[in-house]
Every structure is written in structure tokens, then in C-alpha cells.
């Protein structure tokens, strides 16, 4: 038996990171807490921790089988994920297939506009600055990721988008956009980290045409659309069914 006492390494808005007996492995606990608009709006989505941890585990495991290196190791409990310890790169990488959210606010594009090609965007991970959009030149200026890493992250983001679109299409869900984060391991190798869940994706139900009723993601919480828990559960059910079908 290990006598390791887990130490809380970091607590974020939706997750807590704990140490394990192995310094190269961390335990992520997924909380039910929900925040939006840079934590100006706070609440709880009952069961979210388990649902998001389960969806993220399925997707990360599946992406790994498709050649995307990820931090995922195991899901020992519904709301706990064992991950490889990485240094998180301080950028949020957003991929968009359909215009929504900040893209519409900042460009005037109408929500729902299908983009001719997936759009990859980088945002600075800095709550005090409100996670601003970065240009390639600003990325180079800040020197937080090298130009080679920007290219590698872009390539991964596009590949992950293509795979996730394939997966969600099979679930009768449109992948509108999503945010991912990457980290580097002790050898400097880039791994897909953090989570992929209804908190970090925009997901629209293909079986519904109404613009509000079809929303299956955190926009239900952001915009007070109601039935948030049901929507998250429905994503989990479809993702688990699709994972089962893929393994059959
Ligand atoms: N997103 C996220 N965390 C953030 C910001 C955005 O997970 O801190 C996700 C968001 O859920 C959406 C995508 O990234 O799926 C694009 O978000 P957008 O830039 O449109 O910002 P928002 O409208 O959420 O402010």
C-alpha cells in the first residue's frame, strides 16, 4: 500500500488537481461547479463532474487510438481522471466550424454561418486580461509558444476537429466549435490535455431545428435556456453509445 497523501496541486473553476504517489501522474477531480463570462456568472450543474469526466475520458481515449497523443491514463471513478503530468501551455486553442459566440460578437458574422474551412484561433489563458484573442505576431512577441509549436498545435487542432466531427456526426450532433488545451511532458512532447466536454464545446442536436432547443452544451447555462443537466446527460448517452458501437 502506498502511504502517499494526495496534495491539492491546483484548483480551477471546474476541476481540482491532486498529486499521486507517482510524480508523473496527477488525479483530476471534476466538480459540478459551472462558471461563465470569466466567472462573472456562477452556478452548479448537478452531475456535471461525472458527465464531463466520462465524456472527456471517452473522447481522449478515442483520439489516442487515432494517433493524437493525450494526457489521459484512466478514469478510476466517474468524476476522477488520472492524467500524465504536463506543463500546460498558456494558450486556449479554439476550432470553429460554424460561427457562434465571440466570433459573431467580434466580426458581425451571423450565428449559424457555416465556415468555408475550420478556423483555428489562439487565446491567451489569462483571466485578469479576459483571455484575449492573439494574433500569430502577438504569440511570437509574447514568446509563450514557439512558431514551431504554433504550427504543431494548429495541425493537431485541425486533426482533432476532423476526428471529433466524425465522432459527433455519428451521435447526430453538430460540432459547432470547441476549445482545447495542450501541455508539454518532461521531454517537451506536446500532449492534448484538459477536457473535451459540453463545457468546452458547442454541440447542436441534429434532430431539432429550433435554435435554442437544439443546444446541448454550456450555452444552456450561459443563456439560461434551462434543462442544462438533461442536455449534458443526453450528450453522455450518445457519446457512450457511439463509443460502444465503435468497439463492437
Ligand atoms: N470556450 C471554453 N472556455 C473558455 C472560452 C471558450 O471552453 O474560456 C469554448 C466555448 O465553450 C466554445 C468555444 O470555446 O465552445 C468558443 O468560445 P467563444 O470564443 O465563442 O467564446 P464565448 O462565446 O464562450 O465567450
Amino acid at each position: 500500500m502506498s502511504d502517499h497523501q494526495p496534495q491539492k496541486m491546483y484548483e480551477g473553476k471546474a476541476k481540482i488537481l491532486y498529486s499521486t504517489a507517482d510524480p508523473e501522474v496527477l488525479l483530476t477531480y471534476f466538480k459540478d461547479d459551472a462558471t461563465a463570462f470569466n466567472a462573472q456568472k456562477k452556478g452548479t450543474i448537478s452531475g456535471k463532474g461525472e458527465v464531463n469526466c466520462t465524456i472527456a475520458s471517452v473522447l481522449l481515449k478515442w483520439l489516442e487510438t487515432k494517433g493524437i497523443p493525450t494526457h489521459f491514463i484512466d478514469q478510476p471513478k466517474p468524476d476522477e481522471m488520472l492524467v500524465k503530468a504536463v506543463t500546460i501551455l498558456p494558450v486556449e486553442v479554439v476550432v470553429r466550424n460554424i460561427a457562434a459566440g465571440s466570433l459573431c460578437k467580434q466580426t458581425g458574422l451571423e450565428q449559424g454561418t457555416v465556415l468555408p474551412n475550420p478556423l483555428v484561433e489562439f487565446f491567451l489563458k489569462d483571466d485578469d486580461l479576459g483571455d484575449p484573442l492573439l494574433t500569430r505576431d502577438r504569440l511570437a512577441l509574447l514568446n509563450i509558444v514557439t512558431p514551431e509549436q504554433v504550427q504543431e498545435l494548429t495541425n493537431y487542432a485541425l486533426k482533432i476537429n476532423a476526428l471529433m466531427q466524425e465522432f459527433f456526426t455519428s451521435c447526430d450532433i453538430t460540432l459547432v466549435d470547441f476549445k482545447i488545451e495542450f501541455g508539454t511532458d518532461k521531454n517537451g512532447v506536446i500532449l492534448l490535455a484538459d477536457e473535451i466536454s459540453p463545457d468546452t464545446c458547442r454541440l447542436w442536436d441534429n434532430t431539432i431545428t429550433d435554435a435554442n432547443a437544439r443546444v446541448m452544451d454550456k450555452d444552456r447555462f450561459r443563456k439560461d435556456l434551462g434543462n442544462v443537466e438533461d442536455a449534458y446527460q443526453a450528450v453522455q448517452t450518445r457519446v457512450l453509445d457511439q463509443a460502444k458501437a465503435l468497439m463492437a
Side-chain angles (χ1 to χ4, degrees):
M1 274 289 277
S2 157
D3 57 3
H4 175 80
Q5 293 297 318
Q7 300 288 318
K8 194 191 273 194
M9 311 287 288
Y10 172 81
E11 177 156 5
K13 289 178 282 234
K15 296 188 286 291
I16 307 174
L17 266 187
Y18 295 97
S19 64
T20 70
D22 183 343
E24 290 181 19
V25 177
L26 297 175
L27 183 76
T28 311
Y29 169 73
F30 284 65
K31 302 193 273 187
D32 286 353
D33 297 351
T35 61
F37 313 118
N38 204 8
Q40 288 173 55
K41 180 181 172 109
K42 291 193 175 118
T44 304
I45 301 174
S46 170
K48 178 171 83 80
E50 295 192 1
V51 168
N52 279 4
C53 184
T54 300
I55 294 170
S57 296
V58 168
L59 292 173
L60 291 174
K61 218 189 301 185
W62 182 71
L63 288 169
E64 191 86 49
T65 68
K66 297 287 179 180
I68 306 291
T70 81
H71 72 157
F72 179 82
I73 297 172
D74 193 18
Q75 185 191 6
K77 288 191 190 155
D79 53 5
E80 288 181 5
M81 192 192 289
L82 281 170
V83 298
K84 292 175 199 156
V86 294
T87 305
I88 294 287
L89 296 170
V91 288
E92 299 192 338
V93 184
V94 168
V95 187
R96 303 177 188 275
N97 299 302
I98 294 177
S102 71
L103 179 65
C104 297
K105 271 191 221 111
Q106 293 173 2
T107 64
L109 272 176
E110 199 182 327
Q111 151 144 318
T113 307
V114 177
L115 307 184
N117 297 111
L119 180 67
V120 180
E121 297 181 320
F122 291 82
F123 293 82
L124 182 63
K125 248 175 90 76
D126 188 323
D127 285 341
D128 293 341
L129 296 176
D131 294 346
L133 177 66
L134 294 174
T135 59
R136 304 282 153 142
D137 285 347
R138 283 187 185 185
L139 278 164
L141 174 73
L142 295 178
N143 206 18
I144 45 182
V145 279
T146 65
E148 292 75 24
Q149 284 178 323
V150 171
Q151 194 52 55
E152 200 177 343
L153 297 179
T154 304
N155 294 345
Y156 274 139
L158 289 171
K159 191 168 172 200
I160 292 163
N161 181 53
L163 289 164
M164 294 243 298
Q165 275 193 311
E166 179 193 328
F167 191 98
F168 279 112
T169 299
S170 315
C171 300
D172 246 340
I173 291 172
T174 296
L175 178 63
V176 174
D177 60 30
F178 61 96
K179 182 269 300 181
I180 42 181
E181 296 184 26
F182 294 89
T184 50
D185 70 9
K186 63 180 193 311
N187 302 314
V189 173
I190 291 179
L191 303 181
L192 175 61
D194 196 50
E195 66 178 289
I196 304 177
S197 73
D199 269 8
T200 64
C201 301
R202 284 197 169 90
L203 303 167
W204 292 350
D205 188 339
N206 290 344
T207 68
I208 299 174
T209 46
D210 179 82
N212 283 337
R214 69 185 172 188
V215 173
M216 304 181 85
D217 57 70
K218 200 158 97 176
D219 274 350
R220 296 208 77 81
F221 171 77
R222 291 189 187 98
K223 299 180 182 174
D224 293 319
L225 297 178
N227 300 324
V228 189
E229 284 86 0
D230 292 347
Y232 276 55
Q233 291 284 349
V235 174
Q236 175 176 254
T237 301
R238 293 198 206 177
V239 164
L240 285 175
D241 284 351
Q242 175 56 13
K244 225 182 280 169
L246 285 169
M247 280 186 296

